[in-house]
Amino acid sequence: MRSKTFASAVAMLFVVAGVTPANAEIVITQKAKKFDKKRIEIKKGDSVKFINADSIAHNIHSRSRGNKFDLGVSKPGTSVSKVFDKNGKFKVRCAIHPKMKLTVKVN
Amino acid sequence: MGVPVCNKNKLSKFAITMVATASAFATFVSTTAISAEKKSREEWKKEYVRPSTIPFPTDNPYTAAKADLGRTLFFDPRLSGANYISCGTCHNPSFAWGDGLAKGIGHAMTRLGRRTPTILNLAWGEDLMWDGRFESLEQQALGPMSAAVEMNQNMKAIVAELEAIPEYRTLFNVSFPGKGITVDNIAKAIATFERTVVSGVAPFDRWIAGDENAISASAKRGFDLYNNKANCVACHSGWNFTDSSFHDIGLPDKDIGRGKIVPGVVVMQHAFKVPTLRNAVERAPYMHDGSLKNLYSVVEHYDNGFVKRPSTSNEIYKLNLTQSEKTDLVEFMKTLSSKDAPVALPRLPAYDQTVAGSLNVSPAAGPSADSGTPSVQKGSCNTFLMHYIPCSK
Ligand SMILES: [Cu+2]
């Protein structure tokens, strides 16, 4: 939780400072068959790190036009990252648990 | 004990509670905290408490009239193309809302590809069907009705067919003032009825509520195994014994299930929706393909009977259960049966007796109680019957 808040705080600082930041990493945690956020806004080139804090496996994929991907299965305690290098609004889902929904808006 | 929620008295009570629950789908949220640390039996029990209200979506809220109309439609075979299959033909309340067959049978005795799922507790479900291809019960209700191999109903004709039955005109106008009979409203009424079909209080629920004598010691050991060594809880979690997720559980059939709906995602190959375990004893045979005869063979499957392939669920692994552990698991599942009171069939609205000829169906040739299938007068060719009875011009 703390590292995630920190990461978003760092990302925010760069935005406020108006400098061209190094690409940020935003952390999303999978816990109790949920993403800890429903919606995030990131910059083009940023990456999202998905940490599986559950005792069961999850999946990360998107079927949104222009950004279809499948990161496969992430086992408990592991993490996967995805760089978003296109602008747009993408729906990220866990194929296993349809209730797990995340919208990623890339500006 | 075990009064089903579809009981009329209960329904009116629910109607009141439901008005208060505006954001319907949010009313029941399982707060299952999955963590690696071992939980005690008492802690696990807290995750299996029955909800006290049924969630209804805001765009199709509950009314008693709508649920009653939906019940009538559900059991009316005239919703099928050949007028002999109702929703209730396959979702038979006497079989815990299934058909007791390994694979369903549809129009003209067509053997279907998968087992008929129960409609119990679908108010809490999402992504309906074994492959989750419908996102709401409203969408789902129309699926089998229009499928050629299932009820084979021409959806363009159904509104006219029901319009020809005066009482349906009245019932729809009461439930949908100013809108009447439409395909959407047929779906909304059936979905509303289906949401009221909830499995009743089972011995397991009485145990959760504090009655230690409600289930046997073996069943209690089964509950512990269910949540720990046997890992059933990874998917069959919460009071409804499902988290509505999709998994390839390693059944060796060719059906790729959700793989067709979500192509390009490896774990969705051969994946099917996790079904409820409520009233499972009454719903044999098991699995999406009906390949397992009883609950013992189901336990054997999860213990060591599955095939391993790239899509096999991460939650499926060899369990090394002993014979007595297997028995405990089955004894536990038996406690989920609510032995609900029999469901009364509705009286179906009769055809119009006053305007003979106006619809080209002679009253004498209308559907008769004993034949069950309507016949058409020679030479008559009305559009709404054409799709299942060839017209002799
Ligand atoms: Cu998941």
Side-chain angles (χ1 to χ4, degrees):
Chain A
M1 280 301 272
R2 193 164 289 167
S3 66
K4 174 209 71 200
T5 323
F6 179 71
S8 355
V10 170
M12 290 298 279
L13 273 178
F14 279 124
V15 175
V16 173
V19 292
T20 310
N23 293 330
E25 183 183 72
I26 292 86
V27 174
I28 294 287
T29 305
Q30 297 145 299
K31 179 86 181 150
K33 298 176 189 172
K34 284 188 201 111
F35 291 118
D36 64 347
K37 291 202 185 81
K38 284 189 175 139
R39 198 191 141 81
I40 52 170
E41 269 191 49
I42 63 171
K43 294 257 170 237
K44 192 167 150 183
D46 287 352
S47 65
V48 179
K49 184 179 183 180
F50 297 92
I51 298 178
N52 184 354
D54 259 337
S55 58
I56 52 166
H58 290 294
N59 157 268
I60 297 288
H61 80 283
S62 178
R63 296 161 75 199
S64 292
R65 196 172 297 165
N67 200 12
K68 289 192 169 74
F69 61 86
D70 174 28
L71 304 185
V73 173
S74 32
K75 297 199 173 182
T78 66
S79 66
V80 281
S81 288
K82 165 77 186 165
V83 176
F84 287 82
D85 46 15
K86 278 179 213 144
N87 285 343
K89 207 161 127 186
F90 308 109
K91 291 174 179 173
V92 174
R93 299 278 183 270
C94 169
I96 301 168
H97 307 106
K99 288 177 190 177
M100 299 179 68
K101 294 173 181 161
L102 171 72
T103 304
V104 178
K105 196 169 173 236
V106 185
N107 299 315
Chain B
M1 291 301 200
V3 179
V5 180
C6 42
N7 172 293
K8 272 207 166 169
N9 298 332
K10 272 267 172 88
L11 267 183
S12 44
K13 272 182 224 156
F14 273 111
I16 299 158
T17 20
M18 253 149 308
V19 177
T21 57
S23 127
F25 277 113
T27 47
F28 179 74
V29 179
S30 158
T31 47
T32 321
I34 300 126
S35 51
E37 67 264 25
K38 261 201 150 191
K39 273 189 275 192
S40 68
R41 181 188 282 180
E42 285 312 308
E43 282 173 296
W44 276 116
K45 282 173 79 175
K46 286 179 198 152
E47 299 192 7
Y48 291 88
V49 179
R50 291 176 66 93
S52 54
T53 56
I54 303 173
F56 285 81
T58 42
D59 57 0
N60 188 20
Y62 174 87
T63 68
K66 216 192 307 180
D68 268 353
L69 170 59
R71 180 166 155 275
T72 303
L73 291 167
F74 187 90
F75 288 107
D76 193 335
R78 290 170 295 189
L79 259 58
S80 65
N83 291 0
Y84 73 95
I85 306 172
S86 74
C87 307
T89 303
C90 297
H91 301 287
N92 180 347
S94 302
F95 264 134
W97 305 90
D99 59 12
L101 298 167
K103 284 177 179 163
I105 293 177
H107 177 73
M109 294 304 285
T110 310
R111 179 67 73 173
L112 305 175
R114 295 169 189 158
R115 187 168 70 88
T116 302
T118 181
I119 64 152
L120 279 169
N121 307 336
L122 290 185
W124 291 269
E126 49 186 280
D127 300 309
L128 284 303
M129 312 292 276
W130 281 111
D131 58 15
R133 65 183 181 271
F134 295 118
E135 282 179 7
S136 70
L137 267 179
E138 284 76 6
Q139 284 176 28
Q140 192 278 329
L142 302 175
M145 208 186 295
S146 56
V149 292
E150 296 187 48
M151 290 165 76
N152 195 35
Q153 175 65 53
N154 177 342
M155 297 311 284
K156 283 182 187 142
I158 185 71
V159 172
E161 268 190 84
L162 295 185
E163 288 278 4
I165 302 167
E167 197 180 333
Y168 268 131
R169 292 199 295 267
T170 311
L171 291 171
F172 273 89
N173 283 330
V174 170
S175 288
F176 305 98
K179 297 200 179 90
I181 305 176
T182 66
V183 169
D184 270 4
N185 290 345
I186 293 169
K188 281 182 167 177
I190 293 174
T192 302
F193 164 68
E194 287 181 311
R195 290 190 177 96
T196 68
V197 180
V198 179
S199 56
V201 173
F204 173 78
D205 300 301
R206 293 198 282 278
W207 180 57
I208 293 295
D211 177 1
E212 276 306 314
N213 299 319
I215 68 172
S216 68
S218 168
K220 289 173 195 173
R221 289 193 300 272
F223 177 73
D224 296 338
L225 289 160
Y226 185 95
N227 291 307
N228 295 285
K229 184 178 176 181
N231 198 34
C232 317
V233 71
C235 307
H236 293 280
S237 56
W239 78 276
N240 193 24
F241 297 87
T242 175
D243 63 1
S244 302
S245 60
F246 294 90
H247 296 264
D248 171 8
I249 57 161
L251 284 163
D253 77 333
K254 291 200 180 90
D255 192 345
I256 63 164
R258 189 142 176 88
K260 263 196 183 158
I261 313 297
V262 189
V265 178
V266 175
V267 284
M268 289 300 102
Q269 294 290 309
H270 304 280
F272 294 88
K273 176 120 102 308
V274 175
T276 178
L277 301 184
R278 288 275 175 181
N279 296 20
V281 169
E282 288 78 19
R283 295 191 287 107
Y286 301 103
M287 315 319 230
H288 69 269
D289 60 358
S291 60
L292 302 181
K293 247 183 226 155
N294 57 41
L295 292 173
Y296 278 96
S297 37
V298 171
V299 172
E300 291 291 347
H301 170 83
Y302 287 114
D303 185 49
N304 196 13
F306 49 87
V307 296
K308 262 284 176 196
R309 53 194 166 202
S311 53
T312 307
S313 171
N314 191 63
E315 314 327 319
I316 308 261
Y317 45 79
K318 285 188 182 176
L319 298 172
N320 299 313
L321 296 169
T322 66
Q323 203 51 52
S324 74
E325 285 174 331
K326 290 174 189 172
T327 305
D328 289 344
L329 278 166
V330 173
E331 285 306 304
F332 163 66
M333 285 188 274
K334 286 182 188 169
T335 71
L336 306 180
S337 281
S338 50
K339 305 269 158 53
D340 295 333
V343 173
L345 293 175
R347 182 191 50 77
L348 298 177
Y351 280 102
D352 200 336
Q353 300 294 324
T354 59
V355 285
S358 69
L359 286 156
N360 282 347
V361 183
S362 96
S368 67
D370 37 280
S371 78
T373 41
S375 53
V376 182
Q377 256 190 328
K378 260 228 158 30
S380 76
C381 221
N382 68 78
T383 48
F384 74 84
L385 292 174
M386 263 170 70
H387 58 281
Y388 65 89
I389 295 175
C391 294
S392 45
K393 282 210 167 154

